[in-house]
Amino acid sequence: QNSVAVIDANTASLLVNLISPPSGFPRGGYGIAVDKQGRVWVPNWGSGPTATRYTPPTDGGPIDAGTWDVFNFGGLTSPSGTKIGQGRGVTVDEDGFVWFSGDRNNLGSAALVWGASVDDGGVQVFDGGTPTGLVDATSTFSKTSIGIGLDQNKNLWVNNSTGNVMRIDRNTGGVTTSANQAGALY
């Protein structure tokens, strides 16, 4: 439901049990990441091509008195013409970008990656000959993208439940896939 709890990492004590977005905001959170400003990012799995962000208060007020924002990535189209069906994985880099993986496009199960500025949600463009804000690497062996992470070169790594791993060049959007593995990579 995109609700978050806050735990003191030093004492392992629960500070706030339930912080939920306002009514009318997309629901269905799956992945979670926190940026350098302490803002919590959640892709809205099951609720379309959106993500929500919770910003805790900076004035010393109660931690559950922050603000929520929603970012709609429904306008992104890949070079092959597909659109985001839903986001699933999320990670944040030190350069101020939040990166998402998506397991659905408008045609079904998919392998999608896109990025946005942590400040205003502006889309990060991959410039690999055909500039695009959405990489769709869907193929027979690359579908149902779940987790996303970064390597030491800030390139994106995505596991696909269909059995392979993809590395996406953060600048060009170029995709390299591993050999298909037996069983699901979940």
Side-chain angles (χ1 to χ4, degrees):
Q1 295 298 314
N2 288 9
S3 299
V4 295
V6 181
I7 299 169
D8 183 323
N10 296 313
T11 65
S13 59
L14 181 65
L15 300 177
V16 177
N17 187 38
L18 185 66
I19 305 172
S20 296
S23 97
F25 269 53
R27 303 295 173 139
Y30 193 89
I32 187 170
V34 179
D35 66 27
K36 288 196 303 188
Q37 290 79 28
R39 298 173 293 197
V40 181
W41 289 85
V42 180
N44 301 128
W45 187 63
S47 293
T50 60
T52 51
R53 180 183 69 192
Y54 177 70
T55 303
T58 56
D59 62 2
I63 197 149
D64 59 349
T67 58
W68 287 88
D69 295 291
V70 63
F71 300 91
N72 190 329
F73 301 107
L76 291 178
T77 303
S78 74
S80 64
T82 57
K83 293 186 171 284
I84 301 165
Q86 64 186 21
R88 194 156 185 182
V90 60
T91 190
V92 179
D93 68 22
E94 62 188 27
D95 295 330
F97 294 99
V98 57
W99 301 95
F100 299 96
S101 65
D103 68 345
R104 298 257 179 241
N105 64 21
N106 53 308
L107 303 176
S109 182
L112 307 174
V113 173
W114 70 98
S117 164
V118 295
D119 294 323
D120 62 9
V123 174
Q124 172 67 9
V125 175
F126 297 97
D127 194 8
T130 303
T132 184
L134 177 62
V135 172
D136 187 342
T138 305
S139 71
T140 301
F141 297 111
S142 298
K143 295 181 192 172
T144 317
S145 291
I146 299 175
I148 186 168
L150 299 160
D151 66 18
Q152 65 188 12
N153 297 318
K154 303 178 189 174
N155 290 312
L156 307 157
W157 287 78
V158 178
N159 69 307
N160 294 312
S161 182
T162 49
N164 72 3
V165 176
M166 304 182 306
R167 183 191 63 175
I168 295 90
D169 184 290
R170 72 178 280 126
N171 298 311
T172 68
V175 178
T176 304
T177 58
S178 71
N180 203 42
Q181 308 295 311
L185 296 179
Y186 189 99

